[in-house]
């Protein structure tokens, strides 16, 4: 297993949670996706070595992704959570191809549940 997630959990609306990821292999770009039941997987946030963070439109300033490339770890800090954030959060890593991160490795996912 190359990527391992930790964190997630259950919280009431308005609360905060973290998802942390660690990789065994060397990658250039890192992200966190989410998938809710019956919905398509969507990119929550991504960041790369030498590149700034990108966020899904739905984040609206509530989440922060941080990268420690030396330790091959990245984390997603989620504040002001709402019920629509309920999903399985999945870490991913990859390489840049044609200017975009192509995610090649995926974690197992960790559950985030937000109750209203």
């Amino acid at each position: 297993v190359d990527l391992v997630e930790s964190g997630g959990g259950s919280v009431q609306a308005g609360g905060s949670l973290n998802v942390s990821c660690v990789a065994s292999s060397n990658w250039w770009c890192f992200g966190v996706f989410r998938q809710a039941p019956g919905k398509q997987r969507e990119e929550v946030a991504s960041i790369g070595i030498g590149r700034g963070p990108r966020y899904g439109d739905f984040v609206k300033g509530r989440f922060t992704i941080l990268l420690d490339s030396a330790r091959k770890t990245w984390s997603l800090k989620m504040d002001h959570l709402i019920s629509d954030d309920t999903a399985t959060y999945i870490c991913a890593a990859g390489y840049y191809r044609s200017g975009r991160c192509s995610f090649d490795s995926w974690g197992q996912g960790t559950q985030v549940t937000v109750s209203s």
Side-chain angles (χ1 to χ4, degrees):
V1 177
D2 181 49
L3 304 186
V4 177
E5 298 101 340
S6 61
S10 298
V11 70
Q12 289 191 324
S16 300
L17 287 171
N18 294 326
V19 173
S20 297
C21 316
V22 58
S24 301
S25 303
N26 294 313
W27 303 99
W28 277 97
C29 48
F30 309 85
V32 180
F33 288 72
R34 72 183 187 184
Q35 187 163 21
K39 294 186 177 181
Q40 286 191 327
R41 185 174 60 194
E42 57 185 351
E43 183 174 328
V44 179
S46 63
I47 191 168
I49 295 175
R51 301 205 185 186
R54 294 169 40 130
Y55 298 96
D57 291 341
F58 57 86
V59 170
K60 293 183 168 62
R62 299 179 297 129
F63 300 171
T64 303
I65 189 168
L66 297 173
L67 171 65
D68 184 339
S69 57
R71 292 182 172 83
K72 294 185 283 188
T73 62
W74 61 108
S75 61
L76 181 70
K77 185 178 187 302
M78 301 180 287
D79 297 316
H80 306 294
L81 285 160
I82 60 177
S83 56
D84 285 349
D85 293 321
T86 295
T88 299
Y89 283 68
I90 306 159
C91 298
Y95 296 102
Y96 286 108
R97 298 183 179 93
S98 302
R100 296 179 61 88
C101 184
S102 176
F103 292 100
D104 298 310
S105 185
W106 298 84
Q108 296 293 317
T110 186
Q111 181 65 33
V112 168
T113 302
V114 183
S115 58
S116 56

